[in-house]
Amino acid sequence: MAGLTKVKNLYLNKNKLTNVHSISNLVKKLFLQFNDNEVTSIDCLAPLKILDKLSFSRNKISDIKCVSNFTKLTNLEASGNKITDISCLSKCIDL
């Protein structure tokens, strides 16, 4: 996926993904969706500071601290995970 630097929307729903490491190097991502997978961590997404919308419902994610890096985030869907601490969302002022 390294050559896909102009991707603006990426939908990876229902693919039995266990991680999203290979998409962490995409530069122009504005909307990322990977619902209904088996992803356990989104830490690798921390460099994607220009994310506008992020949806990872129904995965196995418990830690979302890296979401505080997404200061331009306007929409977040994270239901059906094991998240217990959402204090990091206070930095996402447009949510």
Side-chain angles (χ1 to χ4, degrees), residues 52-67:
D52 179 44
K53 297 178 182 173
L54 177 60
S55 180
F56 53 87
S57 296
R58 296 169 302 282
N59 277 279
K60 297 179 180 179
I61 297 165
S62 59
D63 182 354
I64 62 167
K65 290 178 189 151
C66 73
V67 172

Side-chain angles (χ1 to χ4, degrees), residues 10-11 32 41 61 64 75-77 81 90:
L10 186 57
Y11 302 91
L32 174 58
S41 174
I61 297 165
I64 62 167
N75 186 292
L76 177 65
E77 296 179 29
N81 284 285
S90 64

Side-chain angles (χ1 to χ4, degrees), residues 1 10 12 17-27 29 32 34 39-51 54 56 61 63-67 69-70:
M1 295 190 96
L10 186 57
L12 298 168
L17 299 175
T18 57
N19 69 68
V20 288
H21 297 199
S22 62
I23 59 175
S24 63
N25 61 349
L26 297 179
V27 178
K29 195 180 303 68
L32 174 58
F34 53 97
V39 176
T40 57
S41 174
I42 58 169
D43 291 342
C44 65
L45 301 179
L48 301 175
K49 296 179 183 186
I50 61 167
L51 276 177
L54 177 60
F56 53 87
I61 297 165
D63 182 354
I64 62 167
K65 290 178 189 151
C66 73
V67 172
N69 292 329
F70 312 143

Side-chain angles (χ1 to χ4, degrees), residues 70-83:
F70 312 143
T71 56
K72 298 191 183 298
L73 200 63
T74 60
N75 186 292
L76 177 65
E77 296 179 29
S79 64
N81 284 285
K82 299 179 180 185
I83 300 162

Side-chain angles (χ1 to χ4, degrees), residues 4-10 28-32 51:
L4 303 175
T5 57
K6 295 184 180 183
V7 172
K8 291 185 180 180
N9 299 304
L10 186 57
K28 294 213 170 202
K29 195 180 303 68
L30 297 175
F31 179 53
L32 174 58
L51 276 177

